Every structure is written in structure tokens, then in C-alpha cells.
Amino acid sequence: MMDQKRSFFSFVPLAAALFGLGFILNACGSDTDGGGGGSGGGGSGAGTPTGTTTGTGVAPGTGAGTPTGPGTGGGDGTSTSGTSGSGAGPTTGTGAGGHGSIDCDDPAGTVPALKLTEVVSGLNRPLYVTSEPADASRLYVVEQGGTIRIVSGGALQSGAFLDITSIVQQSEYAGDERGLLGLAFHPDYASNGRFFIFHNTRARSTVLKEYRRSSDNPDLADPTPVREFFTVTGLRGNHNGGMLAFGPDGMLYVGVGDGGSDGDAQDPDSNGQNIETKKGKILRIDVDNYPTPPAGNLTGGDPDIWDYGLRNPWRFSFDQCSGDLYIGDVGAKDIEEINIEPRGQGNRNYGWSIFEGSNCFQPTQEPGCDLPNHTLPVKELSHGTGDGGSITGGYVYRGSNIPGLRGTYLYGDFSNNRIYSLVWKNGALVSSGNMSANLGSEDTLQALASFGEDAAGELYVVDYAVRNANGTVSGRLYRIDPE
Ligand SMILES: [Ca+2]
């Protein structure tokens, strides 16, 4: 079966249908005088932030905080001109999202001319990039076949940080979406070396696992997993999800697709609306107390569920300043969608597989079009107009290099390599746009598999595959830069 997405993908060599596929946070202090938003945390509770921040002022009146200590988020951080602190207070006591130099100020000026700067090439089907939570100097690229590569000093390092190729499901056909799909570093990675991955096994399952950094070499992971949290069985070759990200509450959020289908049928097992299964969900787990579910998860079904009614939340992210959750959910026949969830307000039903976007798509599925607790998308991309084919969720820009872009969410599409923008503020869509021409993305990219964000809030674009003159395939990593 090839849904429309698949046939569309067939234009893309090798990358083909990859994605039917597709944190942190902060209080941002209550700036009172134009002071810079620290990137404290998304904690809860009261108290005085103890995290310290040092302004690195990217512009007059702005500062980029680096919370280093435990604290309590919630927007109670104090802030002074140029510096601020708002500690992050998830259960770990350190800033989930206390990521280096995040800048929570309002945008300064307009969005300038931008470009995609190639960081490295030579990647093998890359799907994701991130940095350590408090160190933007090294990037970690996830390759589908089962490797995590380090980019440092502007160069792709030889060897791999982690190589689990032998246990990861390998692609069986062009467009096979299975593999090593997600990576998240623990908010305290610098001190505890803990990180988490999500991958397909060779038995039509996916598994969430914890690993550790090697005790004597920061460029290597210990190849022996620390633990497995859960396995999802009965998946097909598409819609496996795989996104991992720590939220402002210190919990680990996990995207799981609806399990795909082998024909034209969509969600044939009706997993999206079934809260007894992890498929078609965003899960939320406490990595220190699993399987005890954290307070606030959905009740009455699988205890790990945070949100449901998703088809393939291939990529999602948390705005490091507001804590809002931005979800790119890959559509089926006609509509790609972005959902935005205010911080902490989960337990939502995003509609699939009764709704595709705002369209009641399978009205005969119970309970029908009058769906309880249904949250409609904030933004839709139509297949019919060519605007979308397979959405790739991105990030709200919180870096320092492009002050005019601060607070703007960038996302894109795997099938047409467009990069779009939108601004969401106070519960409403303020603006939306198409940045493809500004970035030259349609001419540069082959298959926009993912965005990534480093500890300083700068954004990257992961190009899944390029077929070069020799017929070999090389994935690339780009950074979004001002001209
Ligand atoms: Ca939806």
C-alpha cells in the first residue's frame, strides 16, 4: 500500500516515504525592564530561583541566561536588565531546559535574510540532531540504521558515539520508516551521563531504552543499555513515531505513531482513539519512577498517555521559554497539521483517526464526528495545493544569532522541503508565513527529515538523503544562519 504520501515520496530517491512519519522550558522570568529572559525552567512549585545566570547580551537590553542550579520555574524568576534567572524546577531539581544561552526576549527587528549553512555532509540517512542540554559545542546526529554520530569543531567525527546497528531494524524497502528514531539527553546529562533512545527492533516492535555515557570517554556511549522502559508491538513499517524530548516538567515525552497500515486503510486498528494502547499517542514518563505514571497523565487507559488521537507525531518540541508543546502530526490523504498545546495542558484528543486535520475523515468510526475533548490543529497544510505532503515539526527559535526570529516557530515538510513559520502567542495564531525562499530550502534540501535545536537555541535542519554523482547517498546537516 502506498498512501498518497508514499507515492509522493517516490520522487525522492531513497528517502522515499520515510515519514508518514514525525523541551525544556522556561519560565522566562517576568521581565520588567527589558532584561533578558533567562532560560530557567519549567518547574513547578514555589520558591526563589537559585540558579544563576550570566547575561551574554546579544543586544542591548537582552541577556541570555544559563541557569545552573536548581530552582523553581513557573515564571517567578527575577530578572534584571541584561541578566535574569528563573531556575528550572522539574523533579530532578535542575533545569529541564536550562539549556545554555536561550534568549526569551521579544524579537528585535524583523527577520533578516537567512541561509542554510552546511555543517557536515556524509551522513547516512540522518533523522535527528540535538546537543547536550548545557553544551552547544557538540552536536549528536541520529542515523536511521542505528548510529549516533558526533559533530564537533564543525566536523563529523569518525566512529560513532553509539552503534547499535546489529539490533536495530534495517530498512527493507525504500521508504521504510523503521530504525533508530529518537534521542533525548537527560537534563542533567553533564553530571549523570544518562540518555534515552527509541528504536525499532527486528521484530516489528519499538522500544524505549536508557543508555549511559562511557565513564572514561565523553565521545563514547556505554554500549550496554541500562534499562528498557517498554516495548510497543505489532507495528508496521510506517508511522512508528520515535520523537523523544524532556518537557519543562522534567518528564520524558515520547511520540508513538498509530502503527501504520499495509494498505490504503488508515489506522485499521483504530489505535488513535483507543486509550488502551500506546499507539497514536504522546506518552509522558518519569524516568526515575517508571512505571509509576507521573501525576497529570490521562487516566482510564494506558497510564503512560499524555495526549491521544495522533497519527504520527514524528517531531514535536517544547518552546524553551513558554513551555508550550508544538506537535507536527503527519497527515494521511489531504491535510498535514500543527497542534500547539499550552504548557502542562495535556490529556487532549487530537482527533485521528476520525479526523484528519479539521476534516471528519472517517465518520463511521465510533464515536463519530462529534468527538469529545477534540482539539483542532492550529495550522494545516493541504496536499491539494502542494503546501504539504508529510509535515516535519520544528522549534520555536530562542537563539541569539537572529534576534528578529525570536519566538517564531519554524517547521517544514519532508516531501517538498519547504520551511514555514508561525507565531503563536497568548493562545492565538498571530502570523504565519513561508520562509522557503528566504532560506533557499527547496533548492538546497532533498528530504527535510527533522529540525534540531542546540543548547544555545540555534536551529538546524537535517536532510535525510542526497544522491550524488556517484550514486551514493549522503545526508547533510544545515544550520539556519543570518546571511
Ligand atoms: Ca488532528
Side-chain angles (χ1 to χ4, degrees):
M1 133 298 179
M2 288 233 174
D3 58 21
Q4 290 190 354
K5 182 177 317 304
R6 290 208 163 198
S7 20
F8 194 63
F9 281 168
S10 63
F11 290 113
V12 183
L14 253 224
L18 181 58
F19 313 94
L21 317 187
F23 293 65
I24 311 193
L25 172 17
N26 309 335
C28 280
S30 343
D31 300 346
T32 53
D33 54 9
S39 67
S44 59
T48 303
T50 58
T52 57
T53 65
T54 7
T56 57
V58 296
T62 68
T66 305
T68 57
T72 62
D76 295 322
T78 58
S79 126
T80 57
S81 185
T83 63
S84 77
S86 62
T91 57
T92 56
T94 61
H99 272 200
S101 305
I102 299 302
D103 193 325
C104 294
D105 276 353
D106 286 338
T110 57
V111 176
L114 300 174
K115 61 182 178 183
L116 293 173
T117 302
E118 183 177 307
V119 179
V120 295
S121 62
L123 298 164
N124 184 8
R125 293 177 295 138
L127 294 182
Y128 185 59
V129 65
T130 188
S131 76
E132 296 172 29
D135 180 0
S137 68
R138 288 141 51 96
L139 300 172
Y140 294 75
V141 179
V142 174
E143 295 178 319
Q144 188 178 11
T147 43
I148 299 173
R149 308 285 301 277
I150 293 177
V151 175
S152 64
L156 181 63
Q157 303 301 296
S158 60
F161 173 67
L162 179 69
D163 184 348
I164 54 168
T165 306
S166 64
I167 60 171
V168 168
Q169 172 67 48
Q170 300 300 299
S171 296
E172 295 176 346
Y173 51 84
D176 191 331
E177 297 174 5
R178 295 171 292 183
L180 176 54
L181 304 176
L183 161 68
F185 291 102
H186 191 280
D188 294 331
Y189 178 78
S191 58
N192 65 24
R194 301 173 69 185
F195 68 97
F196 304 84
I197 64 170
F198 190 88
H199 72 83
N200 289 90
T201 70
R202 300 198 171 202
R204 286 202 162 198
S205 299
T206 52
V207 60
L208 176 67
K209 296 156 82 173
E210 176 175 349
Y211 282 77
R212 295 283 167 91
R213 180 181 56 212
S214 165
S215 57
D216 56 6
N217 185 346
D219 292 338
L220 285 177
D222 182 334
T224 305
V226 174
R227 66 188 296 194
E228 293 188 5
F229 291 90
F230 60 77
T231 295
V232 180
T233 60
L235 295 156
R236 302 176 180 86
N238 52 355
H239 309 182
N240 287 194
M243 183 67 196
L244 302 180
F246 278 89
D249 53 0
M251 299 296 123
L252 180 62
Y253 290 73
V254 183
V256 182
D258 69 5
S261 63
D262 291 323
D264 283 332
Q266 294 294 327
D267 192 17
D269 305 318
S270 301
N271 289 324
Q273 295 294 311
N274 178 4
I275 63 170
E276 300 294 337
T277 175
K278 289 180 167 62
K279 296 174 205 171
K281 308 298 183 303
I282 289 178
L283 311 177
R284 172 175 175 263
I285 71 168
D286 180 346
V287 298
D288 293 323
N289 290 296
Y290 196 79
T292 302
N297 278 11
L298 192 72
T299 57
D302 186 295
D304 293 344
I305 294 173
W306 178 246
D307 293 317
Y308 64 107
L310 294 155
R311 182 174 183 268
N312 189 9
W314 166 238
R315 291 294 176 244
F316 60 78
S317 68
F318 292 91
D319 178 351
Q320 300 225 39
C321 294
S322 70
D324 295 343
L325 172 59
Y326 288 67
I327 306 163
D329 194 20
V330 180
K333 301 291 188 183
D334 300 306
I335 302 172
E336 304 298 311
E337 61 181 81
I338 295 291
N339 297 286
I340 304 178
E341 181 176 292
R343 174 179 169 176
Q345 296 181 29
N347 295 190
R348 294 186 176 214
N349 180 357
Y350 287 108
W352 183 254
S353 55
I354 295 176
F355 278 79
E356 183 191 29
S358 55
N359 178 45
C360 189
F361 171 70
Q362 299 193 122
T364 58
Q365 185 185 144
E366 293 296 331
C369 302
D370 188 16
L371 196 58
N373 190 33
H374 184 201
T375 299
L376 289 167
V378 164
K379 183 68 182 176
E380 300 181 340
L381 299 178
S382 163
H383 292 202
T385 61
D387 287 339
S390 180
I391 204 163
T392 300
Y395 292 84
V396 175
Y397 181 77
R398 295 297 183 185
S400 302
N401 292 342
I402 315 170
L405 197 60
R406 282 197 295 256
T408 295
Y409 176 68
L410 299 187
Y411 65 103
D413 194 283
F414 178 80
S415 64
N416 61 24
N417 296 304
R418 293 185 188 175
I419 294 179
Y420 296 102
S421 64
L422 64 79
V423 174
W424 171 263
K425 203 165 184 179
N426 300 324
L429 185 65
V430 174
S431 63
S432 63
N434 183 343
M435 298 184 67
S436 306
N438 188 349
L439 286 159
S441 63
E442 291 173 271
D443 295 330
T444 304
L445 303 173
Q446 302 298 307
L448 200 180
S450 186
F451 291 82
E453 179 184 46
D454 70 19
E458 301 304 331
L459 298 187
Y460 299 81
V461 174
V462 177
D463 192 2
Y464 181 66
V466 174
R467 187 175 294 280
N468 67 24
N470 298 323
T472 56
V473 171
S474 173
R476 293 167 196 255
L477 176 64
Y478 296 89
R479 186 178 55 245
I480 295 176
D481 284 336
E483 281 280 7

